[in-house]
């Protein structure tokens, strides 16, 4: 155990949670509607000098969506007074909650698009790539895919770069460049399950079979039906995939690994929003609760005359002052775009409108479902009856229990824990080891964890070098040990009673 890690807490349990069965994962049928979208931002060079080439790509998201299309709430009128604007935004916040419903559905077909950045090692050939590592990064809510570049700048110039062949950095449908492409189809409803399904869709249908320095088209082609089936069953033949997810991206990356564990060699979860279904205890006396994140997103300023003005404004904001300067620069460079007004004046705006950030924040189910699934051993572990010991003569099917996880969490003095839950982080990072305490059998899964001393919840923004140092160390550990299983078949624990409900 690292010296800056959480020790194992006393045994704990949590309230069972009704886990919804996700919709099937597949892209829209071809041919796709034409014309295909173009990249909304021009090509750019990465903000680091490591020998990797950056390209940006598009592909269709999952065709079936878990929520119906809903009108996006209108922004407040500029003519409102300060008090009127405040009241308007409070009503908008309530409206977003009212839009959320639990309904059984066969899905709502829509053609939406995801966007990814690809960083591939220069001169890489297919033979070399078979032995290397592929990294997949998924961002937190409200940030573009480029937010990880300062972390990559340190990581790809570290010793770990020797084993990193390729890096793919994800963009959810309402974030960054993907938000600009999907703007005509924007909705006031979103389910986090769909980001996990979209990640699975990319890995199953669109990620190339191996890493090479060859040029890829902007619109990634689908792999063959046979290749997709093999990946779902046995994983990648020529990739060792490690997924790194932050906050919202950590929760949904974990969901993708639960759905298709064969695709993943390991997870690195950066303070993921994976929360116990058990309500947190009351705050200590005198503690002021954290603000409403959705309301904060709705209230965010979204208009500047230039990127220089935006940088000066953000630099005076206490929230952004805690960020590494390079992260703030890349956020302004890649998270904003110019919009021409009817008057002909150009205004700098966020690529992801604040209302879409709020739409993502108000979803509160997937975070608890993933907690319950990790604690139970995935969907395979959810059963109303105890499982028999596995037959040693049969090959064990890979599950989420076979995927090692490093939990990377805040260690900054005074940093708030998610939903202000004192002690919640320590329990979360030891979640998978608790199974032995309430099943009476097996040892559970013992993950590793590290506290990043320079960061609060926004670790990639506040401490990119410290994050890169630990991530690089983890990658080298995994490479040297050839991805050991976290749990042996003989230690497979019995399972806990649960309630599965196909409500989407």
């Amino acid at each position: 155990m690292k010296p800056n890690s959480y020790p194992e807490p006393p045994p704990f349990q949590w309230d069972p949670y009704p886990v919804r069965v996700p919709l099937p994962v597949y892209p829209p049928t071809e041919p796709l509607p034409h014309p295909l979208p173009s990249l909304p931002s021009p090509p750019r060079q990465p903000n680091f000098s490591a020998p990797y080439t950056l390209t940006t790509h598009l592909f269709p998201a999952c065709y079936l969506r878990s929520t119906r299309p809903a009108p996006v709430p209108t922004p407040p009128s500029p003519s409102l007074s300060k008090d009127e604007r405040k009241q308007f935004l409070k009503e908008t916040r309530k409206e977003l909650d009212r839009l959320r419903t639990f309904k059984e559905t066969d899905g709502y077909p829509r053609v939406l698009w995801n966007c990814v950045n690809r960083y591939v090692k220069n001169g890489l050939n297919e033979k070399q790539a078979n032995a290397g590592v592929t990294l997949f990064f998924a961002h937190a809510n409200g940030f573009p895919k480029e937010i990880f570049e300062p972390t990559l700048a340190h990581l790809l110039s570290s010793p770990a770069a020797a084993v990193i062949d390729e890096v793919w950095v994800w963009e959810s449908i309402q974030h960054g460049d993907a938000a600009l492409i999907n703007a005509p189809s924007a909705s006031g409803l979103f389910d986090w399950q769909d980001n996990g399904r979209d990640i699975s869709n990319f890995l199953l249908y669109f990620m190339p079979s191996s890493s090479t320095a060859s040029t890829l088209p902007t619109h990634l082609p689908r792999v063959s039906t046979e290749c997709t089936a093999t990946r779902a069953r046995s994983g990648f033949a020529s990739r060792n995939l490690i997924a790194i997810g932050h906050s919202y991206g950590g929760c949904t990356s974990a969901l993708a690994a639960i759905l298709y564990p064969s695709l993943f060699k390991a997870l690195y979860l950066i303070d993921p929003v994976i929360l116990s279904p058990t309500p947190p205890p009351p705050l200590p006396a005198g503690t002021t609760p954290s603000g409403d994140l959705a309301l904060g997103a709705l209230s965010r300023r979204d208009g500047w005359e230039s990127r220089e003005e935006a940088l000066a404004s953000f630099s005076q904001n206490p929230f952004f002052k805690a960020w590494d300067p390079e992260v703030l620069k890349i956020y302004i460079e890649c998270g904003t775009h110019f919009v021409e007004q009817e008057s002909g004046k150009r205004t700098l705006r966020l690529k992801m409108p604040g209302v879409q950030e709020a739409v993502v924040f108000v979803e509160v189910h997937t975070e608890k479902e993933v907690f319950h699934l990790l604690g139970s051993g995935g969907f395979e572990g959810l059963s109303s009856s105890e499982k028999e010991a596995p037959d040693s003569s049969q090959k064990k099917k890979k599950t989420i229990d076979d995927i090692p996880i490093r939990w990377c969490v805040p260690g900054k003095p005074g940093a708030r824990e998610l939903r202000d839950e004192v002690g919640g982080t320590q329990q979360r990072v030891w979640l998978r080891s608790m199974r032995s305490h309430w099943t009476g059998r097996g040892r559970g899964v013992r993950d590793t964890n590290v506290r990043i001393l320079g960061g609060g919840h926004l670790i990639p923004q506040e401490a990119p070098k410290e994050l890169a140092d630990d991530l690089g160390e983890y990658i080298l550990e995994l490479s040297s040990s050839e991805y050991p299983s976290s749990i042996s078949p003989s230690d497979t624990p019995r399972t806990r009673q649960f309630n599965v409900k196909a409500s989407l």
Side-chain angles (χ1 to χ4, degrees):
M1 180 184 295
K2 302 187 75 168
N4 53 332
S5 300
Y6 277 110
E8 186 169 6
F12 65 90
Q13 295 189 19
W14 59 91
D15 297 336
Y17 196 76
V19 177
R20 301 168 297 160
V21 178
L23 291 169
V25 173
Y26 57 85
T29 56
E30 294 183 317
L32 295 170
H34 278 70
L36 297 178
S38 301
L39 291 173
S41 300
R44 52 178 289 275
Q45 295 297 314
N47 71 339
F48 53 79
S49 58
Y52 289 76
T53 297
L54 164 62
T55 53
T56 304
H57 306 274
L58 300 172
F59 56 92
C62 277
Y63 189 45
L64 296 181
R65 311 307 293 180
S66 299
T67 54
R68 70 187 187 280
V72 178
T74 57
S77 169
S79 63
L80 294 181
S81 67
K82 183 177 180 180
D83 288 342
E84 289 172 333
R85 173 183 168 83
K86 188 175 181 180
Q87 184 59 36
F88 183 94
L89 293 176
K90 285 184 177 179
E91 291 301 318
T92 301
R93 174 67 176 86
K94 293 178 182 178
E95 181 183 352
L96 292 177
D97 279 334
R98 286 194 296 267
L99 285 172
R100 299 211 57 81
T101 58
F102 270 96
K103 289 185 178 179
E104 294 187 6
T105 176
D106 292 327
Y108 299 91
R110 272 178 286 170
V111 177
L112 299 169
W113 298 87
N114 287 115
C115 190
V116 287
N117 275 352
R118 176 199 186 217
Y119 305 81
V120 64
K121 184 177 288 182
N122 295 342
L124 185 71
N125 61 52
E126 192 167 341
K127 184 176 180 180
Q128 293 171 317
N130 289 342
V133 170
T134 298
L135 302 183
F136 174 88
F137 283 78
H139 56 76
N141 183 26
F143 300 104
K145 56 192 178 301
E146 292 81 7
I147 204 72
F148 285 111
E149 275 200 11
T151 298
L152 290 175
H154 297 293
L155 179 65
L156 298 181
S157 60
S158 75
V163 299
I164 300 172
D165 292 338
E166 192 174 47
V167 180
W168 294 85
V169 186
W170 177 258
E171 205 158 58
S172 186
I173 60 165
Q174 64 285 88
H175 289 70
D177 289 328
L180 301 181
I181 294 170
N182 294 317
S185 302
S187 173
L189 271 174
F190 181 72
D191 194 306
W192 286 25
Q193 277 199 354
D194 283 350
N195 196 48
R197 294 173 58 244
D198 287 341
I199 290 171
S200 303
N201 174 64
F202 169 63
L203 299 177
L204 287 170
Y205 290 90
F206 294 98
M207 178 176 270
S209 294
S210 61
S211 302
T212 71
S214 302
T215 302
L216 297 177
T218 297
H219 289 86
L220 295 177
R222 299 183 196 188
V223 300
S224 68
T225 303
E226 293 75 18
C227 182
T228 293
T230 299
R231 289 181 183 183
R233 182 176 60 252
S234 308
F236 292 99
S238 301
R239 287 187 185 273
N240 296 306
L241 181 70
I242 302 174
I244 301 98
H246 177 212
S247 190
Y248 154 73
C251 174
T252 50
S253 294
L255 177 59
I258 291 167
L259 293 173
Y260 295 97
S262 62
L263 299 172
F264 298 83
K265 295 296 184 182
L267 293 175
Y268 188 95
L269 303 180
I270 308 168
D271 206 24
V273 183
I274 297 173
L275 302 178
S276 172
T278 303
L283 289 175
T287 303
T288 303
S290 298
D292 184 323
L293 294 175
L295 185 58
L298 291 170
S299 307
R300 184 161 297 131
R301 178 182 174 182
D302 187 11
W304 303 268
E305 291 188 359
S306 66
R307 287 192 168 92
E308 291 74 20
E309 182 195 3
L311 178 60
S313 174
F314 286 10
S315 297
Q316 298 304 311
N317 186 317
F319 175 78
F320 293 104
K321 276 186 176 181
W323 289 22
D324 182 280
E326 292 302 314
V327 181
L328 183 55
K329 289 178 183 177
I330 200 74
Y331 174 65
I332 293 173
E333 176 190 348
C334 298
T336 63
H337 69 128
F338 281 101
V339 177
E340 188 165 332
Q341 308 297 320
E342 292 183 0
S343 63
K345 181 180 178 181
R346 296 174 77 232
T347 301
L348 185 73
R349 296 196 181 279
L350 296 172
K351 290 180 178 177
M352 181 186 192
V355 66
Q356 284 299 317
E357 186 178 350
V359 166
V360 176
F361 273 134
V362 299
E363 209 275 64
V364 294
H365 306 296
T366 306
E367 60 196 32
K368 300 180 182 69
E369 292 170 331
V370 172
F371 186 101
H372 191 53
L373 286 165
L374 284 178
S376 303
F379 284 99
E380 296 84 356
L382 296 180
S383 173
S384 58
S385 61
E386 295 178 353
K387 288 186 177 180
E388 299 295 329
D391 184 349
S392 59
S393 66
Q394 295 183 355
K395 184 177 180 181
K396 177 179 176 286
K397 180 181 178 182
K398 186 174 184 179
T399 72
I400 187 63
D401 276 351
D402 297 300
I403 301 175
I405 299 177
R406 169 92 103 220
W407 300 77
C408 173
V409 295
K412 189 176 183 179
R416 290 287 187 99
E417 298 188 57
L418 294 175
R419 67 177 180 182
D420 297 329
E421 185 177 6
V422 178
T425 304
Q426 184 179 15
Q427 289 190 346
R428 185 162 57 254
V429 302
W430 284 94
L431 167 64
R432 297 205 295 174
S433 73
M434 289 296 115
R435 203 175 312 147
S436 60
H437 295 294
W438 46 258
T439 63
R441 178 182 172 202
R443 61 175 174 82
V445 184
R446 297 180 68 86
D447 295 322
T448 59
N449 76 86
V450 62
R451 301 172 69 186
I452 299 297
L453 302 180
H457 175 63
L458 297 181
I459 292 170
Q461 287 82 351
E462 297 176 6
K465 185 180 186 305
E466 195 176 351
L467 170 61
D469 288 346
D470 185 72
L471 176 56
E473 180 182 311
Y474 183 58
I475 292 168
L476 291 176
E477 287 174 4
L478 292 169
S479 299
S480 63
S481 60
E482 296 183 343
Y483 305 100
S485 173
S486 298
I487 184 170
S488 64
S490 60
D491 288 322
T492 302
R494 297 181 296 179
T495 56
R496 186 182 188 186
Q497 187 169 351
F498 79 111
N499 177 17
V500 171
K501 182 179 180 182
S503 54
L504 298 149

